[in-house]
Amino acid sequence: MYSNIKSNAFIILDNDLKIIYSNRKFDNDRFNRLVRRVINRFKLNRKSKYIYNNYFININNIITNNKILYILEIGYLKNNDKIIKNFYKDNLSGLCNRNFWEDFKKGKTKINKEMFNSIILIDIDNLKSINDTYGHSIGDECIKQIAYVINTLKNKTDIGIRYGGDEFIIISTLSRKKETYFIKRFKEELGRFSNVPIEVSIGISYFDESKNIENIFKIADMRMYKEKKHKNVQRHLCIYSEIKEIIIRLNQLNQCKYPNINNEIINIISKLESISNLYLNPIKDIFKSNK
């Protein structure tokens, strides 16, 4: 990192991307290398705004005397680390927190949205169950495991956020082509690093789906809950099938000539059928209607 560059540098380039003016002296090798890397990158991909390491790069062009000049601004994001460690850091996960997300939406973080492709929303399906079964300390460890996998899989420029108790956001450069691979890899890595079975639902939306970042978030949220709902339906159907199998078996046993056992079996069948009709038939009907 070139942390000695503490104030914005303004450099004017001609049409051949040669430097014709700079408000800073080129007496520092690190600064020279940074400028050259920015210019070379601009030759290959003429993005006007992006983040490079800890620097915000902004390139505008003007026309004067029928010639194009490029104004290159290099700003060191010197305050970001300090702010993220305090106001923007979630202490448990080590990721950014909800404050960062809210300020990112409003453009207060100095991070250009144009460099990202997608928003990934991740929700822990069974955090309450984990807390109730193993205790809150294990639940906290699960949150840390999610953060670890996020940091393992995300790109350097991606931003991991703990949005709420069991919800996470990745502001990502992920493309549609890699969506299926990312989801599969995320769940595999989570299973590999966690001693407690953690179930997650994931929804992904893309910046080209809306110009409004709040709408992009809502699309990801809708897709995440669609996956969660589908898993709940599948889970209830499994319970439904198991209860039906028990009822069939009990009916078979009821054919035996043991009056006392038969009365007990009849009571169990009655209770199971009541549970099945009350709780599971509606789920089955929903599932059928979604086919």
Side-chain angles (χ1 to χ4, degrees):
M1 303 298 173
Y2 316 127
S3 55
N4 56 328
I5 304 172
K6 295 182 179 179
S7 60
N8 286 14
F10 292 92
I11 300 166
I12 298 178
L13 311 171
D14 64 16
N15 193 42
D16 296 321
L17 301 183
K18 293 180 180 178
I19 298 170
I20 59 176
Y21 169 80
S22 173
N23 69 333
R24 292 180 59 85
K25 292 181 180 180
F26 285 79
D27 55 0
N28 184 296
D29 288 339
R30 290 183 174 181
F31 177 65
N32 290 345
R33 288 200 298 271
L34 171 63
V35 172
R36 283 295 149 203
R37 286 177 182 176
V38 170
I39 292 174
N40 289 335
R41 182 170 178 171
F42 186 62
K43 287 178 182 178
L44 297 173
N45 182 8
R46 301 217 166 190
K47 269 191 174 181
S48 59
K49 296 179 181 179
Y50 62 93
I51 301 292
Y52 179 78
N53 289 338
N54 277 348
Y55 298 91
F56 174 74
I57 311 299
N58 184 18
I59 303 176
N60 291 310
N61 65 72
I62 58 172
I63 298 176
T64 177
N65 297 327
N66 295 322
K67 293 181 179 179
I68 297 177
L69 298 178
Y70 296 97
I71 301 174
L72 167 62
E73 178 186 2
I74 302 176
Y76 178 56
L77 304 178
K78 59 180 182 291
N79 293 324
N80 274 16
D81 288 343
K82 185 177 179 181
I83 291 171
I84 287 174
K85 285 178 182 177
N86 294 283
F87 185 66
Y88 284 154
K89 184 176 180 180
D90 177 70
N91 291 328
L92 179 59
S93 67
L95 301 173
C96 295
N97 60 17
R98 177 75 174 264
N99 293 327
F100 177 86
W101 169 251
E102 296 300 329
D103 282 355
F104 176 80
K105 288 192 301 182
K106 297 171 186 174
K108 293 182 178 181
T109 59
K110 298 181 181 179
I111 295 176
N112 181 31
K113 298 181 182 73
E114 293 177 8
M115 66 182 291
F116 301 105
N117 296 324
S118 55
I119 287 177
I120 304 169
L121 214 55
I122 301 162
D123 182 87
I124 306 176
D125 298 330
N126 60 333
L127 183 61
K128 184 180 184 305
S129 174
I130 290 170
N131 285 333
D132 293 344
T133 305
Y134 302 101
H136 285 270
S137 61
I138 300 299
D140 288 349
E141 288 301 315
C142 291
I143 289 169
K144 292 177 183 178
Q145 288 294 335
I146 294 281
Y148 176 81
V149 175
I150 287 173
N151 285 327
T152 299
L153 296 184
K154 75 179 185 67
N155 293 328
K156 286 184 179 180
T157 51
D158 295 352
I159 303 169
I161 302 166
R162 187 182 176 203
Y163 180 71
D166 56 2
E167 285 191 322
F168 300 81
I169 300 171
I170 307 174
I171 307 171
S172 178
T173 53
L174 182 78
S175 65
R176 282 183 173 84
K177 291 180 180 179
K178 295 183 179 179
E179 176 180 323
T180 304
Y181 172 77
F182 174 86
I183 294 173
K184 180 175 180 289
R185 180 85 188 281
F186 190 96
K187 293 180 179 180
E188 285 176 350
E189 290 294 306
L190 194 59
R192 192 158 68 92
F193 287 110
S194 178
N195 295 323
V196 175
I198 305 173
E199 298 176 14
V200 296
S201 295
I202 299 174
I204 302 177
S205 59
Y206 297 90
F207 276 67
D208 60 7
E209 294 184 273
S210 175
K211 293 181 179 179
N212 186 301
I213 194 164
E214 191 64 45
N215 289 340
I216 299 168
F217 174 85
K218 287 177 180 177
I219 293 169
D221 192 53
M222 177 189 70
R223 288 170 181 164
M224 182 191 72
Y225 276 101
K226 185 177 180 181
E227 181 189 347
K228 188 185 290 286
K229 181 181 176 182
H230 178 74
K231 285 191 290 190
N232 285 337
V233 169
Q234 293 289 344
R235 191 177 293 113
H236 281 87
L237 278 173
C238 288
I239 297 171
Y240 179 89
S241 298
E242 287 177 8
I243 288 177
K244 283 298 183 183
E245 286 179 12
I246 293 171
I247 291 173
I248 290 169
R249 180 57 182 153
L250 287 171
N251 276 320
Q252 290 172 347
L253 292 172
N254 192 37
Q255 306 302 317
C256 299
K257 298 177 181 180
Y258 301 101
N260 293 334
I261 295 177
N262 288 352
N263 289 335
E264 188 176 344
I265 288 172
I266 289 169
N267 289 331
I268 294 172
I269 290 173
S270 177
K271 289 178 181 178
L272 284 171
E273 286 181 335
S274 296
I275 293 170
S276 177
N277 291 331
L278 182 61
Y279 295 106
L280 299 176
N281 274 334
I283 297 294
K284 188 178 181 183
D285 293 339
I286 291 171
F287 180 78
K288 285 180 178 179
S289 65
N290 287 339
K291 280 188 173 181

